C-alpha cells in the first residue's frame, strides 16, 4: 500500500513539493509470510518452554540471573516470564547487537571481532580487527562524523581552550560563550526567534515536555513516536491519547472529541492540547504530513511539538528539515525540537521557537536546571557543521552534502524496489527499513552481511510489531556510489538466498539507469 498526495496551502502551491507527489510505501506481506512468521515465533516459544523445563530439572545449565536459595520466599527480583523472550529467543541472535567498533563511525568502520563458546551467553575477543566494514547503520546522514584534521581544526582549538567538561549546569557556572554562540546560530539556521541547546538528545524530549504540559492538559501522540517523546509525555502527568500513524482522520477525530467533550468526568475544557509528532520516523522511514497537521492545529487551536531528530539536516533543499521540505513557515510550528547526534556528527539537542517559549524553558526545564551543560568541543563541532550547511564557511560543501544525500537515498530506495524487496517509508527518507518478517531470518541476514564486510542494524519484536522484523539502513552523503552498489549487490544475492523478495509490485523493465552524460548522440 502506498499513498500519493500533492500538497497545497490555501490554494497556493506549497514550495517545491507542489510539483511532485508525496509517496510513501507500506506494502503488506503475502499471507503465507505472515503465517510462517507466527509459526516461527510459535516454534521458538515451544522450544523455549522445553528448555526452561530442562533448566528447572538441572538437565541444562542455567546461565541467567536467578534468585538465591535463601530468598525463595521473598517477592521475586527477577520476573521469570518477563525474561522469557530475552532468555530463549533474543539470546539466539544476540551476537548481532552491541558489536564494538574501534574507529570513527564514518562510511566505513573497523570492528573488533568476537566469538562465543556458549551460544551467545558470553563473548570473548579474538584480538583481530575486521577492517573497512561498510557502515549502513549509523545516523551519519551528512558525513560530519569524520576525523579529517583540517576539518576539525577549530574543534581541537576549543578543546585546548576549554577542556572536555564543564561540571556545572546552565543556571549555575555552566553557561559559556560557546553556548550562546551556538544558540544564536541554531535560531538563525531555523529562522526562529530563539533556541536553547541541551547536552543530551533523549533528555531534550523527556525533560522538556513535562515543563510544557501537565495535569489538565491533553497530549495527542502519534502511535509510532520515539521512546523519548513517550517518556516525556508520561512524566508530564497530562492525559495521553494516541492517533494512528500519520493518519489525519484519526487525529482530527481525537481533536474534535477533545473540544466537544473536554476533560473526563468534569467536562471542563482542556488547559492545553498539544500534538506530538516526528519529522522522520526512525523505524518506519516515513515523513510527517506536516501541512495537514498544521491546518488541524490551527482549526482546533492546539499546539504542535515537532521532533526533527532524524529530519534536520537530512531533508529540505538546504537541510533545514521537514518545515523546509514542505515549503512552510517555521512559525507554523510552536515547538521545534531536534538533535545534533545525527546529521551534525555531535551530541545533544535543541528546542527552538518564540523567545517567550525559550525563556520559559530556561527557567523551568529540568535539563537546564539539573543537567550538566554541553561540553565546548561538542558545541564547536555543531557550529562547524551548521556553518558548513549555511555556507558561512565560504564553501558550498554543505549544500553538496545535502544534495548527495538526496541522490544516494533515491538511488538506494529505487534499486531495492526494483529487486523486489518490501521497504517502508517515504522516497526522500534516508532511513530505509527492509522487511525481513520471519524471526529466523534476522540473525541469518545480519551475519551474512557482516561476512560480506557490511554492517547493518536488524530490529525485531518488541521494538517492532511481531510480524514486521526488519533491517534498517541509514544512507549517508559520505557513501560513494561504489559502496552503495556493493551493498546492493550483496542484498540482491542474499535476497535470493534467504527468499526475502516478497514485493508483489511489478519490477522495472530497465533496472539500470545511466547518467545522461554517458550517452553519445549519433548523427
Amino acid at each position: 500500500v502506498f499513498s500519493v498526495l500533492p500538497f497545497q496551502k490555501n490554494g497556493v502551491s506549497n514550495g517545491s513539493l507542489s510539483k511532485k507527489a508525496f509517496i510513501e510505501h507500506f506494502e503488506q506481506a503475502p499471507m503465507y509470510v505472515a503465517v510462517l512468521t507466527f509459526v516461527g515465533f510459535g516454534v521458538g516459544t515451544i522450544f523455549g518452554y522445553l528448555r526452561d523445563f530442562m533448566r528447572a530439572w538441572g538437565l541444562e545449565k542455567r546461565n541467567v540471573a536467578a534468585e538465591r536459595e535463601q530468598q525463595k520466599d521473598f517477592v521475586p527480583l527477577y520476573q521469570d516470564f518477563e525474561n522469557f523472550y530475552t532468555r530463549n529467543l533474543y539470546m539466539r541472535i544476540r551476537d548481532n547487537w552491541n558489536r564494538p567498533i574501534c574507529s570513527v563511525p564514518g562510511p566505513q568502520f573497523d570492528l573488533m571481532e568476537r566469538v562465543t563458546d556458549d551460544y551467545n551467553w558470553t563473548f570473548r575477543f579474538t584480538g583481530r580487527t575486521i577492517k573497512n566494514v561498510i557502515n549502513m547503520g549509523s545516523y551519519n546522514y551528512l558525513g560530519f562524523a569524520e576525523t579529517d584534521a583540517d576539518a576539525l581544526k577549530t574543534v581541537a582549538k576549543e578543546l585546548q581552550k576549554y577542556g572536555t567538561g564543564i561540571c556545572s549546569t546552565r543556571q549555575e557556572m555552566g553557561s559559556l560563550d560557546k553556548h550562546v554562540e551556538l544558540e544564536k546560530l541554531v535560531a538563525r539556521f531555523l529562522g526562529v526567534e530563539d533556541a536553547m541547546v541541551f547536552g543530551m538528545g533523549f533528555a531534550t524530549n523527556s525533560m522538556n515536555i513535562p515543563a510544557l504540559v501537565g495535569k489538565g492538559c491533553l497530549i495527542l501522540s502519534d502511535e509510532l513516536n520515539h521512546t523519548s517523546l513517550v517518556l516525556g509525555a508520561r512524566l508530564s502527568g497530562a492525559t495521553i491519547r494516541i492517533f494512528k500513524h500519520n493518519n489525519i482522520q484519526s487525529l482530527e477525530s481525537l481533536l474534535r472529541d477533545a473540544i466537544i467533550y473536554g476533560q473526563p468526568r468534569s467536562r471542563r475544557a482542556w488547559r492545553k492540547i498539544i500534538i506530538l509528532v516526528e519529522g522522520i520516523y526512525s523505524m518506519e522511514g516515513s515523513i510527517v504530513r506536516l501541512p495537514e497537521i498544521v491546518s488541524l492545529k490551527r482549526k482546533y487551536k492546539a499546539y504542535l511539538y515537532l521532533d526533527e531528530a532524524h529530519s534536520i539536516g537530512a531533508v529540505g533543499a538546504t537541510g533545514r528539515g521537514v518545515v523546509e521540505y514542505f515549503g512552510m513557515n517555521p512559525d507554523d510550528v510552536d515547538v521545534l525540537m531536534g538533535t545534533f547526534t545525527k546529521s551534525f556528527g555531535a551530541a545533544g539537542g535543541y528546542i527552538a521557537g518564540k523567545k517567550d517559549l525559550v525563556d520559559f524553558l530556561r527557567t523551568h526545564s529540568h535539563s537546564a536546571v539539573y543537567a550538566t551543560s554541553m561540553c565546548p568541543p561538542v558545541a564547536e563541532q555543531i557550529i562547524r557543521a551548521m556553518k558548513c550547511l549555511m555556507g558561512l564557511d565560504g564553501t558550498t560543501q554543505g549544500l553538496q552534502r545535502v544534495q548527495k544525500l538526496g541522490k544516494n537515498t533515491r538511488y538506494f530506495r529505487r534499486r531495492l524496489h526494483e529487486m523486489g524487496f518490501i521497504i517502508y517509508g517515504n522516497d526522500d527518507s534516508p532511513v530505509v527499513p527492509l522487511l525481513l518478517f520471519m524471526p529466523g531470518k534476522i540473525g541469518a541476514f545480519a551475519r551474512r552481511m557482516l561476512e560480506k564486510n557490511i554492517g547493518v542494524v536488524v530490529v525485531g519484536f518488541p521494538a517492532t510489531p511481531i510480524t514486521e522484523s526488519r533491517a534498517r539502513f541509514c544512507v549517508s552523503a559520505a557513501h560513494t556510489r561504489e559502496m552503495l552498489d556493493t551493498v546492493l549487490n550483496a542484498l540482491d544475492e542474499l535476497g535470493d538466498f534467504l527468499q526475502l523478495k516478497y514485493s508483489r509490485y511489478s519490477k522495472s523493465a530497465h533496472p539500470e539507469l545511466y547518467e545522461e552524460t554517458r550517452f553519445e548522440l549519433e548523427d
Side-chain angles (χ1 to χ4, degrees):
V1 178
F2 66 90
S3 56
V4 182
L5 184 64
F7 285 98
Q8 286 192 339
K9 180 180 175 184
N10 296 331
V12 180
S13 62
N14 188 5
S16 61
L17 207 68
S18 62
K19 297 181 181 179
K20 66 176 182 178
F22 180 84
I23 302 176
E24 294 197 334
H25 303 266
F26 292 97
E27 182 182 354
Q28 292 184 344
M31 181 59 70
Y32 78 91
V33 175
V35 171
L36 289 176
T37 300
F38 280 111
V39 169
F41 274 105
V43 171
T45 301
I46 291 172
F47 275 91
Y49 279 116
L50 176 61
R51 296 187 71 179
D52 277 356
F53 175 81
M54 295 172 66
R55 293 184 189 112
W57 287 91
L59 301 176
E60 182 178 330
K61 182 180 177 181
R62 182 189 292 269
N63 291 300
V64 295
E67 307 288 346
R68 294 171 58 191
E69 195 65 35
Q70 298 90 330
Q71 295 177 310
K72 288 297 183 182
D73 295 331
F74 285 53
V75 175
L77 179 63
Y78 306 107
Q79 295 297 324
D80 185 68
F81 181 75
E82 291 178 1
N83 293 325
F84 177 85
Y85 179 85
T86 302
R87 190 170 58 248
N88 295 297
L89 298 178
Y90 169 71
M91 278 297 171
R92 291 175 172 269
I93 53 177
R94 180 173 169 236
D95 57 299
N96 297 295
W97 289 277
N98 307 314
R99 289 169 172 159
I101 295 170
C102 53
S103 69
V104 63
Q108 293 179 310
F109 58 73
D110 298 337
L111 199 63
M112 297 173 65
E113 186 182 61
R114 62 181 185 178
V115 295
T116 179
D117 301 314
D118 53 6
Y119 304 101
N120 291 340
W121 288 101
T122 61
F123 295 97
R124 61 179 175 84
F125 294 106
T126 65
R128 177 174 169 264
T129 300
I130 305 174
K131 297 283 189 180
N132 299 322
V133 178
I134 298 177
N135 182 4
M136 295 302 297
S138 296
Y139 309 128
N140 186 27
Y141 298 130
L142 295 179
F144 282 116
E146 55 193 353
T147 54
D148 180 39
D150 291 333
L152 298 177
K153 278 181 180 178
T154 58
V155 178
K157 182 180 177 181
E158 298 306 318
L159 178 62
Q160 290 292 329
K161 180 179 178 180
Y162 292 97
T164 57
I166 295 178
C167 306
S168 184
T169 69
R170 289 294 298 273
Q171 289 198 352
E172 295 172 343
M173 303 293 290
S175 195
L176 305 183
D177 54 349
K178 272 290 153 191
H179 298 135
V180 176
E181 179 186 354
L182 174 57
E183 288 171 347
K184 289 181 178 178
L185 188 65
V186 170
R188 180 180 172 187
F189 178 68
L190 297 174
V192 295
E193 293 179 6
D194 204 357
M196 184 176 182
V197 298
F198 305 89
M200 181 182 178
F202 189 97
T204 305
N205 276 332
S206 61
M207 294 291 102
N208 283 298
I209 293 174
L212 297 173
V213 291
K215 190 175 181 180
C217 298
L218 175 64
I219 293 175
L220 302 180
S221 179
D222 189 290
E223 65 179 344
L224 297 181
N225 273 341
H226 188 263
T227 305
S228 60
L229 289 168
V230 174
L231 178 60
R234 289 176 176 173
L235 291 175
S236 71
T239 301
I240 305 169
R241 291 176 183 165
I242 308 300
F243 63 92
K244 294 179 181 178
H245 175 56
N246 244 350
N247 190 309
I248 304 304
Q249 290 75 23
S250 175
L251 175 58
E252 183 166 22
S253 176
L254 290 178
L255 281 167
R256 189 185 301 114
D257 289 348
I259 298 298
I260 294 173
Y261 300 111
Q263 299 183 44
R265 292 189 294 274
S266 70
R267 299 305 179 191
R268 292 178 180 175
W270 296 100
R271 290 173 51 210
K272 293 178 191 172
I273 300 176
I274 188 167
I275 304 167
L276 302 185
V277 293
E278 295 185 47
I280 291 179
Y281 290 85
S282 60
M283 205 58 72
E284 307 299 313
S286 54
I287 294 179
V288 64
R289 295 181 178 276
L290 190 61
E292 291 113 312
I293 291 178
V294 168
S295 177
L296 284 182
K297 79 108 179 175
R298 286 174 176 166
K299 179 179 178 181
Y300 293 97
K301 304 297 187 291
Y303 294 96
L304 177 58
Y305 185 109
L306 175 62
D307 177 351
E308 291 225 65
H310 286 268
S311 54
I312 194 69
V315 294
T318 60
R320 285 170 168 82
V322 292
V323 175
E324 182 183 51
Y325 179 80
F326 289 108
M328 302 186 71
N329 190 324
D331 291 338
D332 292 332
V333 181
D334 301 288
V335 186
L336 285 164
M337 178 271 174
T339 64
F340 304 119
T341 55
K342 300 167 181 70
S343 292
F344 299 95
Y350 66 82
I351 295 284
K354 298 291 184 183
K355 190 175 187 306
D356 291 343
L357 166 73
V358 177
D359 287 343
F360 176 84
L361 289 176
R362 291 188 196 280
T363 306
H364 295 84
S365 167
H366 294 294
S367 289
V369 178
Y370 300 110
T372 302
S373 303
M374 178 186 292
C375 65
V378 171
E380 177 58 32
Q381 161 64 13
I382 301 165
I383 291 171
R384 176 186 80 86
M386 197 166 287
K387 283 184 175 179
C388 181
L389 271 180
M390 299 169 72
L392 298 180
D393 61 346
T395 72
T396 60
Q397 185 186 106
L399 183 60
Q400 291 172 9
R401 291 185 186 227
V402 174
Q403 292 173 346
K404 187 175 181 184
L405 174 62
K407 290 179 181 177
N408 284 351
T409 296
R410 289 185 286 274
Y411 174 75
F412 192 72
R413 281 182 166 274
R414 177 179 56 79
R415 287 289 306 277
L416 289 177
H417 273 300
E418 291 168 358
M419 290 177 187
F421 292 104
I422 292 180
I423 61 173
Y424 278 179
N426 192 284
D427 283 353
D428 292 320
S429 169
V431 179
V432 187
L434 185 153
L435 275 293
L436 305 175
F437 296 106
M438 301 180 196
K441 295 185 179 182
I442 298 174
F445 182 88
R447 292 170 188 143
R448 288 270 181 168
M449 290 296 280
L450 186 58
E451 288 174 5
K452 298 177 182 295
N453 249 35
I454 300 168
V456 300
V457 172
V458 287
V459 191
F461 178 81
T464 67
I466 195 168
T467 59
E468 294 183 9
S469 300
R470 65 196 65 178
R472 183 182 63 180
F473 298 92
C474 292
V475 182
S476 171
H479 287 137
T480 64
R481 183 58 63 89
E482 289 72 23
M483 290 179 187
L484 294 180
D485 284 338
T486 299
V487 174
L488 288 165
N489 290 336
L491 286 172
D492 193 16
E493 179 184 336
L494 193 56
D496 292 330
F497 179 76
L498 294 178
Q499 297 184 5
L500 298 173
K501 298 179 179 180
Y502 302 118
S503 179
R504 289 163 289 183
Y505 292 148
S506 59
K507 301 173 182 59
S508 171
H510 304 284
E512 295 193 21
L513 299 179
Y514 299 89
E515 296 180 7
E516 293 182 1
T517 53
R518 295 185 182 178
F519 287 106
E520 294 183 1
L521 297 177
E522 296 180 359
D523 295 334

